[in-house]
Amino acid sequence: MTCWKSLPIVVFTLLLGQSLAVQELQVEWTFNTSDVFEGRTFGAGQLGCQTVWDIDGDGMNEVIFGTRRGDSNRMWCIDQEGSFEWLYPPLDQPGLIDDPMSKVSVVDVDSDGTFELCFADRSGRLHIINGDGTEFWHWDNPRGARILGPPQAYDVDGDGFIEFFLADGEGFVHRLSHEGELVWTSFQCGRGNPWQVTLADIDTDGEVEVLWASNDFHLYCASSGDGSEEWRFDAGANMETNSVFVADVNGAGGYEAVIWTSAPTSAVIVVSSDGNELGRWIEPHGANIRLTPAMGDVDEDGSMDMALMSGLAVYVIDLATMTTKWEANISGWVMDGLVPEGATVNHWSNYPLIADIDGDSRQEVLWLAPYPIATDAATGDIEYYYLNEHVAVNRRQENGGWWGDVDRDGVSEWVVELNGNSHPETQMYCLTAGGSFPAESPWPEFCHCAYPAPYQQEQEWLTLKAAYSNSMWFPIPELGWLVFTLAHIMGLFRRLDHLAR
C-alpha cells in the first residue's frame, strides 16, 4: 500500500464579490494494484466504480473493483483500510475473457440469506462469485455480444428468486433464471446499447416492465414476463451507454422515465409511463451526454434535480421545470485560478455524485474532471479538489466513484480511482473533507447505489432509495409497499396458472 500526501493548499479568490476558500481534500489511504505482485503492472478500470459491502460477514467492509489496463483483466477485493484481500481470477489462472467494465451488483442469488457479487465482462459473460472470490456460476451470452452495464437482478414474478436482465451490444435483452438458465431473449433493436436495463413497474399495474435506451434513438418498454414490446419512444438521437431513470420526477404521484441523448439533438427528456414526452431540456451547446448523471433534490425545494457533465460544461438542472439551475465551464475555473491546471470536461467523464461531503447540511456535487472537484450543489461554488503529480490530467476520467463511510469511523469519505501518468501511478484514493457520517445523500455512487434494497430502505441518510442493487427505479415511499405487494400477487397467479397448464 502506497500513500502520497501533499500539503493542504487553500486557494483564495474573488468570485461575484464574495470570498471563496477552495480547499484540498485529504488522503486517508491509497491502494496501488501494481504494488501487490512483484513484476506485475496493472492500471485503471473503465465505466464502473467501486462497490463497498461486507461481503464475507466479518463486520468490516470490502471494496470491489475491476481493472482492465496492464497485465490482465481482474476483479479486485481490498479491505476498508486499503489492504489487498483477493483477486478474481487468481494469478495462477487465466484472466477474464475480456475487460471487466461493469460495476458489481450485490445480490442474494439463491435466496439463502448470503449475498453474492455479480458483474459482466465485455465478452458477454455474466459472473456470479462468492464473497471469498470463488466462482458460484457464470453464463455466456450465446450471441457473444458485449455487456457493459451492472447486472440488474429482481424477483419480477414473485416466486421468491431473483431473475437477471442484461442488455447486449447487438440490441437484445436477455432474461436469466437465478441458476443462470436463459428464460427469453427479446426482439432486436436497430442498434444495441450494451448498458444496463431498468426494471420498474412504471405504470403500477402490478407487473414489472423492462426499460432500456438504445442507439437506434428509441426508449423501449417491454414486459418482464415474456420480453414483448409494450411501447417505444423516439428520442431523436442515440443513447450510447445511457441508463433510464424511473421515478416520480414531477411530484404528481406517478412514475416517469428520464433519458438523455447525444448530439445533434442532445437533451434530457422526461417521458410518461405510457411513452409520451412530458418535458425536454436542451443541452445549450449541442454537446454529447453519456453514462449516468446523478439525481436528487439538491437544494430542498421539493423538486428533483439532475447533475450532469456534457462534452462542454457541467450543469445542475431542475427536472420538474426542465430549466438550468446553474452551468459552469471547468476550463474557466482553471483560468480564474480556482483549481489547478489540467481540469477538463468530457462526456465520457459523466460520473457525478451528490452528497454532503463536509457535513455542513448542504449537498455537494462530486465531479471527476478528471481529478476530484466538489462544488456546492445549489450554487456551483467550488469547495474542494484533490490533485498530485502522479494523476493524469487534461483527459477523460476512466471510472466512477463511491461516497460514504468506507471504514465505519464516522467520517465521510470519497473513494476514487485516478488514472496515473503511467500504469504504476494509477491507484485508488480514499479522500475526505473531514465531514461526519451519516450525512444526507441521494446519489452516493456511480449508477446510484449497489447496496441491496433492504439495506437501502433502512438508511435514513440515503434520501433516494432504489428497488434493488444498482437499480434505476426509485419507488414512491407511499406506493412502494403496494407496488411490491401487487407485483408478487400477480406473479403468484401467473405461476399457479402455469402449473395448472
Side-chain angles (χ1 to χ4, degrees), residues 29 31 48-56 60-67 74-80 85-88 100 102-106 116-119 129-133 399-400 402 406 415 417 428 445 450:
W29 53 257
F31 176 76
C49 80
Q50 306 74 35
T51 290
V52 177
W53 186 251
D54 178 11
I55 60 170
D56 54 13
M60 300 178 65
N61 283 327
E62 282 77 35
V63 182
I64 313 297
F65 62 97
T67 59
R74 309 280 173 174
M75 192 62 66
W76 296 74
C77 175
I78 62 177
D79 71 17
Q80 64 186 24
E85 289 198 2
W86 51 255
L87 196 63
Y88 172 81
S102 89
K103 180 182 171 188
V104 174
S105 296
V106 181
E116 285 77 36
L117 302 172
C118 311
F119 69 95
I129 63 176
N130 300 303
D132 60 359
N399 247 338
W402 179 95
V406 65
V415 178
E417 179 189 78
M428 195 80 64
E445 53 191 279

Side-chain angles (χ1 to χ4, degrees), residues 371-435:
Y371 60 82
I373 299 173
T375 60
D376 184 287
T379 67
D381 293 341
I382 306 170
E383 297 182 358
Y384 304 95
Y385 77 92
Y386 178 79
L387 182 62
N388 67 43
E389 68 273 23
H390 303 282
V391 177
V393 295
N394 289 312
R395 56 174 295 168
R396 74 182 191 185
Q397 167 65 9
E398 296 282 355
N399 247 338
W402 179 95
W403 173 88
D405 182 3
V406 65
D407 54 7
R408 307 186 185 191
D409 64 351
V411 177
S412 164
E413 288 124 0
W414 184 5
V415 178
V416 294
E417 179 189 78
L418 300 179
N419 215 13
N421 293 307
S422 63
H423 288 332
E425 294 175 277
T426 297
Q427 60 179 8
M428 195 80 64
Y429 295 80
C430 180
L431 305 172
T432 184

